Amino acid sequence: MAEQTRLKEEDVQVQLQRFFADMTQKIPLFLFCEPGKNEPFAEGARQIIRAIREITDKVSLQEYTLKHELAKKWQITGSPTLVFAPETYKIRWLGAPLGHEVQTFMEALRIIGTRNPGLSKEAMKVLAKLDSPRAVKVFVSPSCPYCPQAAVNGIRAAVARPDLVSLEIIDIQANPDLADQYAAQSVPQTFANEKQIGLGAQPEELFVASLAALEPQRVFIPDSDAEEISCDLVIVGGGPAGLTAGIYAARSGLQAVVVEKGVLGGQVATTPMVENYPGFTQVGGKTLVDIMVTHALEYVKIFPGEEVQDIVPGELFTVTTTRRRYKARAVLLATGAGNKRLGVEGEERLGGRGVSYCSTCDGPLFKGKKVIMVGGGDSAVTEALHLHNIGVEVTMVHRREGLRAQERLLVTLRQSGIPVLFNSEVVEILGEAGVKAVRLKSNQTGKESTLPVDGVFIAIGYDPAVKLAQGLGAELTPEGYIKKDARHRTTVPGVYSAGDVEGGFKQIVTAAGQGSEAALAIFEDLMNPYWTVQKKR
Ligand code: NAP
């Protein structure tokens, strides 16, 4: 075991040395810290840079206090602030690259060190047309797996157009005042020229389009000369179902690709702890995802940060994403499900301003504050426990007499002492710039009351992501899931489904099982297409 660990560490060292060897440029870093202010963040930043400098001399570091003339010249007021290669770029980090943000920091070094923004051709076309400055601010948190995608989008744009794009990556935990000023209580959140252009992670093409328009864009269709990839199977969605399908399809000999618009792993990536995936007594959701992705990458090409915009059936399917087109013989929809909304007054308006669907991402900002967790299932209880464990004062609000979560979770909940308001419904979320209170109604007495809170976390289940299926004309079940047969065939020949989008038990292990079944069925069908047999009859 010790020998294995040593070999793994050597492996990482070699990979890191290779990583830095590819860099053509030196990266001067300037760290500004005020003694006694945000010390743990300052020390965190120092430690990671120190560790990197032990591997490479391509990164240099100079540290100053906020009283230094450079701090005044560059108008730096926050401690710690990290400035990257200021001769060439306008990129700053307010806070420290910790947790998930280590990934962003390494990407920043790669992009700056190679002078290669690494943006798609389609995104570069949009940026090339930019003709006025954009001051970008991306609010992130070390606990948020979605944040690296948003922050890296900003870095790529700032490196692609250093003449016009400046960037501040703002860690909300180190800068709660700035987060308050922008009412950014949910991460990631992106602003440009003081306007919000993105809430949540965006594929890079949608980010640059939003940056150009100075308002959030939802659709991006690539130019007709965009790259085209031919394959047997396009798997839409990089959660457990899609990743498992990728492994099984490739092992069957199919050329398959996995396309994922957001973060790989789907809902699992933001699940604080998983305790029922065989082989792991307890594993962090993101860790489980990383293991699955590493495994899948052994077999199948994965294209993250790319959103499927359209699927057109034909002799071959044409799958158009924000980046390119795929021609494929079959399509597997493993699109999962999105967070269900409560549908009450104030929920949408205060989204990102204290209303959250991700306790892993946004929980740390509510440490020592009062929040409610709405819902009574496994998700609500798991997330309430997570909030409680990180020091948030959480109360559960559930519309029934009892919770429906697993007994094991209920025992832990009782032990935690988290209060639960039963038979209570949220009828309105109150507040202007941020959440201030909720209006609750007892569904037994009809009596209404107001509960002052700083945040509202919602975990009331998921709505299946069926837009692409509907666009293809696939039938849905009365509950709104994709209708499929025992072989995961939808009602559209050549189109299959797997995972939460099919309904059913919605467990990680069932999603993985459905992904494998679908891939095997697709392999057999492509060998002997049932739709041509049907046509001949
Ligand atoms: P869920 O099991 O569907 O539970 C949703 C909860 O939200 C229910 O208690 C429901 O109330 C409540 N609800 C739904 N709509 C509501 C509304 N409009 N207003 C107020 N409350 C509302 O969803 P989930 O907890 O997200 O779990 C989804 C799936 O993932 C489940 O299969 C679950 O087992 C699985 N999961 C497993 C784990 C784990 O194993 N550790 C963790 C997370 C999720 P009612 O009870 O009144 O319907």
Side-chain angles (χ1 to χ4, degrees), residues 13 16-17 20 46-59:
Q13 282 281 334
L16 281 171
Q17 273 156 2
F20 288 109
R46 273 184 213 114
Q47 275 184 18
I48 179 155
I49 298 168
R50 222 178 275 146
I52 283 167
R53 281 173 45 73
E54 277 175 21
I55 303 164
T56 179
D57 61 0
K58 291 196 173 147
V59 174

Side-chain angles (χ1 to χ4, degrees), residues 190-260:
T190 307
F191 293 80
N193 298 1
E194 307 301 314
K195 294 190 179 97
Q196 193 199 61
I197 61 160
L199 181 58
Q202 297 165 297
E204 66 189 40
E205 294 80 9
L206 284 173
F207 162 72
V208 294
S210 307
L211 183 65
L214 285 176
E215 62 182 10
Q217 303 294 300
R218 314 240 175 264
V219 180
F220 185 94
I221 301 288
D223 282 351
S224 53
D225 65 345
E227 184 196 5
E228 193 169 287
I229 293 180
S230 292
C231 56
D232 295 312
L233 172 66
V234 172
I235 299 166
V236 189
L243 293 172
T244 312
I247 295 172
Y248 273 76
R251 285 176 61 89
S252 302
L254 296 180
Q255 279 193 345
V257 297
V258 177
V259 181
E260 166 59 57

Side-chain angles (χ1 to χ4, degrees), residues 56-123:
T56 179
D57 61 0
K58 291 196 173 147
V59 174
S60 66
L61 176 68
Q62 294 180 59
E63 185 174 334
Y64 301 108
T65 70
L66 293 182
K67 293 189 184 70
H68 190 271
E69 60 187 47
L70 271 183
K72 285 183 195 126
K73 185 174 156 199
W74 293 342
Q75 296 174 336
I76 288 166
T77 53
S79 172
T81 298
L82 191 56
V83 179
F84 295 73
E87 296 269 291
T88 322
Y89 303 116
K90 299 183 210 86
I91 302 176
R92 290 176 184 184
W93 195 307
L94 280 64
L98 303 171
H100 287 295
E101 289 309 309
V102 172
Q103 187 187 333
T104 307
F105 184 63
M106 295 303 283
E107 269 304 299
L109 295 183
R110 183 209 298 275
I111 292 164
I112 295 168
T114 56
R115 295 278 199 272
N116 177 5
L119 281 166
S120 70
K121 203 172 82 182
E122 298 302 312

Side-chain angles (χ1 to χ4, degrees), residues 341-355:
R341 303 296 197 247
L342 267 175
V344 299
E345 181 61 38
E347 182 183 19
E348 203 183 320
R349 184 171 50 82
L350 293 163
R353 312 258 176 280
V355 173

Side-chain angles (χ1 to χ4, degrees), residues 267 271-277 339-344 374-383 397-406 409 424-426 458-462 481 500 504-508 510:
Q267 293 155 32
T271 302
M273 197 55 75
V274 176
E275 297 182 340
N276 52 9
Y277 194 78
N339 296 304
K340 195 168 153 189
R341 303 296 197 247
L342 267 175
V344 299
V374 189
D378 290 336
S379 299
V381 175
T382 308
E383 301 208 10
V397 173
H398 184 39
R399 62 183 180 184
R400 291 193 197 275
E401 189 84 49
L403 301 162
R404 69 150 90 152
Q406 302 162 22
L409 285 170
S424 301
E425 288 176 28
V426 176
I458 300 168
I460 57 166
Y462 298 94
Y481 296 98
D500 285 2
F505 285 112
K506 304 197 196 84
Q507 299 293 307
I508 308 170
T510 51

Side-chain angles (χ1 to χ4, degrees), residues 90 127-131 156-166:
K90 299 183 210 86
L127 277 185
K129 289 188 196 139
L130 208 63
D131 59 6
R156 294 191 197 286
V159 168
R161 291 301 305 265
D163 52 333
L164 291 178
V165 179
S166 63

